[in-house]
Amino acid sequence: MQPTIIYEQKIGEIKVRLADAATRMKWLSFIRLLAFAAAVACVYKCFGPGAWLLAPVGVVAALVIFAYSLRRYQHALQYEALQKALLQLNEKELHLVLHHESRFDDGQAFSDEQHAFSGDLDLFGPASLYQHLNRTGTLSGSEQLASMLKMPLQQAAAITDVQDVVKDLAPKLDFRQLLAAQGSLTGEKAGDHDRLKAWLAMPLYFLPNKGLNILRFVSLVLTLTAIAVTIVLHNFYPLMVMLGCNTVLLVSIGKKVIVQHHQLGSQEKILYRFAEILLLIRNESFTVGGLQSQQEQAREADVALRKLARISSALDQRNNLLVPLFLGTFFLYDLHCAYALEKWKAQYRDQVPEWLAVIAQMEAWNSLATFAYNHPTYAYPVLNEAEKGIVAAGLCHPLIAPEACVKNDCVLTGNTQFLIITGSNMSGKSTFLRSVGANLVLAMCGAPVGADSFLFAPMEVMTSMRIKDSIAKHTSYFQAELLRLQQIVFALQKGQRVFIILDEILKGTNSEDKLSGSRKLVEQFLQYNCLGMIATHDLELGQLESTHPQQVKNYCFESTISDAGLFFDYRIRKGIARNKNATFLMEQLGII
C-alpha cells in the first residue's frame, strides 16, 4: 500500500481517537465535580444539624473517587497530547509525500559554510536534505542526525550494518511514529542536557553524610512524637522545639538543595518522555544486531528514569509555599528529596549518558527508516570497495519530486578519475553534480538513494560550488574559493581518498587565466587517490580527455533553440557541449 493512502487512513483513525478522548475527559471532569460536591455535602453532614453516622465514610469515599478520576484525567491528557503529536506527524508526512515539501525542522542551526560539502549539497536549511530526513524530537537526536550527515561512515561494514537497521525499522510504522511523537513531546530546550550532565557530575554531599542521614530519621520520629504530645497533652513546647531545630537544619543545607534543584528542577516532563521512548525501544521486537544492542543498553532504563522524574517532580513542589512551610519544617521535606536524588544518582549516573545516546541513535536511525518508507522505489546502494568508484543507473536528486525529476546515469570507475561536464546555462549541470553528491552522502549514511541502482565505495566528499565572500573575515570570493581548493589539496596530500565536486571554479579571474588554472588543477588532482567531477562553461577544458584519455572523460548537457523557444531535456550524454544560450535568453528577457 502506498504511503499516501496509509497516512490518510492514520489521520482518520487518530481523529476518531481524539474525539473519544475528548468525550472521556468531559465525563471525568463531570465525575470529579460530583465527587467534590458529595465530599462537601458529607462534611456538612458530619458537623451540621442532623449529622449522619456514615458521613465520614462518605467523605473518604468521595475523596477517593475524586483522586481516582483526577488521576485518570491526567492520563487522558497525556494520551490526548500523544494523539495530537501523532496527528501532526501524519499530516506532515502526507504533505511531504503529496507535495515533496517538508515541514519538519530544517536544521539551520547546524549549517556551516566552512564544512567540506554541507553548504554546496544543501544538507541544512530550508528545503534541505536534513529537513527531508529529520524525524528527531530531542536535541541529542537532532545533533546525532546532523553529525551523521556531516561525517558519513567510511567503513563498508559499518554502512552495511546501518542499512540492515534501516531495513528492519522501515516497516515498523507504528513503532517509528510513536518514537517520533514521544520525542516531539519532550519539549527540550537548549541547556537542559547541560544541566542534567552538570547535576550528574556534581559530587555527592548528602548520601555519604551518615550523621545527617541518621538525623533525618531521628527528627521524623521526634517530630511525630511531639505532635502526639501536643494532641494528647495539649503541650505545644516539644513541637515548637522540634520545628525550631528542623528550621535550623533546613537553613544549614538550603544552599546545597537549591543547587540540586537548579540543575534538575522542571525536568519531570523531559525525563518522563525519555522513559517512554526507552520503554518503546525495550518492548519492540528487533532482528538486527545493531538494534538489539541499543535495546540491551536501554534495559530497565525507563523504570529508572520514571523514578527520577517522580523525584524531580517532588523536588519541584518546594516552589509551592505550603510545602516548605508545613512538610519542610515538620518533616524535613527538602532533605528527604535530596537524599532520594543522590541515592538515584549513585546507582545510575554512569548509565544515563548511554541511555541518552540510545535515544539519539534511535531517532537518527528512525529518520533514515522513515525516508526509506516514504521512497519505496529508492534503491539500497551496493558497496564495492574493489571498484573504488561510482556506478549509478537512473540517478535522481532526492529533493526533487519524482514526477519532475529526469533520471541520468553516472559511471566513474576503473581508470577514469574525472568527469568534465560542459553545457549551456540552466541545462542541468549543477543539479547533476548535487544529485551525485547528495546520494553519495545518503549512501554512506546507510540510507537508500534516489537511483535504480547505485554501486559505490566510501570516500571523503569535498566540494567547491557555492563559495561566498565574507566582509567580516575580510575574505574576497576569489580568496575564499582558493582556500577551499587548498583544503582539498591538503586532504589529498595526507593520503585521504576524496570525491571532488567542482562547479564553475575560478570565476574571479579572466577567461584565459581561468582555463589555465582549471586545467592545471585537474591535472594536479589526477596525481592523487581521488575521483571527481567538474562542471564548466570552458569548452576548451574538454581537451584534457585527449591529453589523459584513460583518466578524463567528457560529458555534457545540451539545450535546443527553435522557433518554439528554448528546450532542455536534462539528459547527460558523452562529449563536449556544442550549443550556447546566454545571448538568446538575454534577448528573450529584453535585456539586449
Side-chain angles (χ1 to χ4, degrees):
M1 193 179 296
Q2 289 297 315
T4 306
I5 299 173
I6 293 174
Y7 291 137
E8 288 174 341
Q9 288 178 349
K10 281 197 161 290
I11 289 171
E13 293 169 359
I14 294 168
K15 286 181 177 179
V16 171
R17 293 200 292 269
L18 280 170
D20 291 342
T23 302
R24 186 162 61 251
M25 286 192 293
K26 286 179 182 178
W27 276 107
L28 288 169
S29 297
F30 182 64
I31 291 171
R32 283 206 330 274
L33 181 62
L34 286 179
F36 179 77
V40 171
C42 288
V43 169
Y44 175 77
K45 284 298 182 180
C46 284
F47 303 101
W52 294 350
L53 185 62
L54 295 178
V57 177
V59 173
V60 173
L63 291 177
V64 168
I65 293 172
F66 181 87
Y68 176 75
S69 61
L70 178 61
R71 183 174 179 83
R72 291 298 301 268
Y73 184 82
Q74 290 172 338
H75 288 167
L77 278 177
Q78 292 176 350
Y79 177 80
E80 183 187 48
L82 179 61
Q83 295 305 312
K84 285 182 177 179
L86 286 169
L87 178 62
Q88 187 181 50
L89 174 64
N90 279 278
E91 287 174 343
K92 287 180 178 180
E93 296 288 8
L94 182 61
H95 182 84
L96 175 59
V97 173
L98 288 176
H99 305 288
H100 215 71
E101 177 189 37
S102 177
R103 292 177 173 175
F104 295 94
D105 181 71
D106 61 15
Q108 183 65 53
F110 303 111
S111 181
D112 178 10
E113 292 182 5
Q114 303 305 313
H115 187 262
F117 58 85
S118 66
D120 290 339
L121 299 184
D122 301 306
L123 288 197
F124 305 104
S128 63
L129 193 60
Y130 179 94
Q131 187 176 33
H132 207 75
L133 291 169
N134 181 30
R135 299 300 182 276
T136 64
T138 67
L139 294 177
S140 56
S142 61
E143 290 169 358
Q144 178 67 18
L145 178 60
S147 177
M148 287 172 60
L149 290 171
K150 283 185 171 183
M151 296 180 290
L153 299 169
Q154 297 296 309
Q155 296 77 34
I159 296 171
T160 302
D161 288 344
V162 177
Q163 286 185 353
D164 291 339
V165 165
V166 173
K167 290 175 183 176
D168 195 16
L169 278 178
K172 300 181 185 295
L173 180 62
D174 291 338
F175 167 78
R176 289 190 293 98
Q177 291 207 331
L178 282 171
L179 181 67
Q182 292 286 7
S184 69
L185 290 172
T186 56
E188 269 191 293
K189 299 176 183 177
D192 284 339
H193 264 202
D194 293 337
R195 289 198 293 129
L196 180 59
K197 290 178 182 178
W199 175 72
L200 291 171
M202 285 171 56
L204 299 176
Y205 172 78
F206 296 97
L207 198 62
N209 194 329
K210 294 182 179 180
L212 199 58
N213 192 24
I214 294 172
L215 187 59
R216 68 188 177 112
F217 289 109
V218 170
S219 173
L220 179 61
V221 172
L222 291 177
T223 301
L224 290 173
T225 302
I227 292 172
V229 169
T230 301
I231 295 172
V232 175
L233 302 178
H234 304 288
N235 183 355
F236 290 90
Y237 180 74
L239 181 59
M240 298 304 294
V241 171
M242 284 308 305
L243 293 181
C245 292
N246 287 348
T247 301
V248 171
L249 181 58
L250 288 174
V251 170
S252 68
I253 64 169
K255 290 184 179 180
K256 297 289 184 181
V257 175
I258 289 172
V259 171
Q260 298 253 12
H261 187 226
H262 174 73
Q263 300 294 359
L264 203 61
S266 304
Q267 297 282 314
E268 177 197 6
K269 179 183 175 183
I270 298 172
L271 294 170
Y272 172 77
R273 293 299 173 186
F274 284 170
E276 288 296 305
I277 293 172
L278 291 165
L279 178 62
L280 269 175
I281 296 168
R282 181 161 66 95
N283 289 340
E284 188 58 40
S285 176
F286 300 121
T287 60
V288 175
L291 290 168
Q292 290 172 343
S293 66
Q294 298 295 317
Q295 196 173 41
E296 179 62 24
Q297 289 185 46
R299 185 166 48 89
E300 297 184 5
D302 58 292
V303 177
L305 284 178
R306 197 171 280 108
K307 182 179 180 181
L308 180 60
R310 288 195 297 268
I311 301 172
S312 174
S313 176
L315 186 62
D316 284 340
Q317 298 308 311
R318 70 191 306 273
N319 292 327
N320 184 334
L321 182 61
L322 296 178
V323 171
L325 186 62
F326 291 101
L327 292 181
T329 53
F330 276 80
F331 304 112
L332 300 177
Y333 182 84
D334 283 4
L335 183 57
H336 288 288
C337 286
Y339 264 96
L341 281 175
E342 290 202 347
K343 184 178 179 181
W344 190 97
K345 180 163 64 173
Q347 184 175 357
Y348 295 113
R349 70 170 158 192
D350 292 337
Q351 296 166 263
V352 173
E354 295 178 3
W355 297 340
L356 298 182
V358 168
I359 293 173
Q361 187 63 75
M362 289 297 294
E363 282 199 306
W365 283 343
N366 185 38
S367 297
L368 299 183
T370 302
F371 178 78
Y373 182 83
N374 286 343
H375 298 85
T377 61
Y378 279 16
Y380 281 92
V382 176
L383 286 113
N384 188 343
E385 292 186 297
E387 283 291 334
K388 295 185 178 179
I390 295 176
V391 180
L395 190 73
C396 62
H397 198 293
L399 299 182
I400 298 177
E403 61 273 12
C405 193
V406 177
K407 294 185 176 182
N408 282 295
D409 298 340
C410 177
V411 179
L412 188 50
T413 187
N415 292 325
T416 304
Q417 278 188 263
F418 243 84
L419 304 183
I420 296 177
I421 302 172
T422 53
S424 57
N425 297 292
M426 304 186 302
S427 60
K429 302 187 303 299
S430 298
T431 300
F432 178 75
L433 296 184
R434 290 191 176 90
S435 297
V436 176
N439 280 303
L440 179 58
V441 171
L442 282 174
M444 292 190 292
C445 288
V449 298
D452 298 331
S453 64
F454 195 91
L455 184 147
F456 80 105
M459 294 170 280
E460 298 283 348
V461 178
M462 301 190 78
T463 64
S464 179
M465 302 176 73
R466 284 183 185 148
I467 302 300
K468 298 179 181 179
D469 57 3
S470 173
I471 295 176
K473 296 181 180 179
H474 307 289
T475 304
S476 68
Y477 169 85
F478 191 66
Q479 183 182 4
E481 185 176 33
L482 292 180
L483 290 174
R484 174 57 61 87
L485 295 175
Q486 185 185 54
Q487 289 176 5
I488 297 174
V489 173
F490 283 171
L492 293 172
Q493 290 173 343
K494 292 177 183 177
Q496 294 176 232
R497 180 168 176 75
V498 181
F499 187 80
I500 304 167
I501 303 176
L502 308 176
D503 190 5
E504 288 297 335
I505 60 170
L506 306 181
K507 290 191 286 285
T509 186
N510 62 70
S511 299
E512 183 179 348
D513 198 23
K514 175 185 175 185
L515 175 61
S516 175
S518 298
R519 182 185 293 116
K520 290 180 180 180
L521 180 65
V522 173
E523 289 178 331
Q524 166 93 328
F525 289 153
L526 296 179
Q527 301 175 33
Y528 294 101
N529 184 22
C530 68
L531 299 175
M533 303 183 297
I534 178 171
T536 181
H537 287 287
D538 292 325
L539 305 184
E540 293 84 355
L541 193 61
Q543 299 304 317
L544 279 172
E545 184 182 53
S546 59
T547 309
H548 306 277
Q550 297 298 317
Q551 296 168 285
V552 177
K553 300 295 180 185
N554 285 316
Y555 284 85
C556 66
F557 287 87
E558 291 285 15
S559 60
T560 304
I561 300 175
S562 65
D563 293 338
L566 184 63
F567 172 75
F568 299 100
D569 64 6
Y570 303 111
R571 298 285 184 185
I572 194 169
R573 45 180 64 83
K574 290 184 178 180
I576 300 174
R578 293 166 296 175
N579 298 323
K580 303 175 183 179
N581 61 24
T583 302
F584 175 82
L585 288 171
M586 294 175 72
E587 290 174 348
Q588 289 290 102
L589 293 173
I591 298 173
I592 57 174

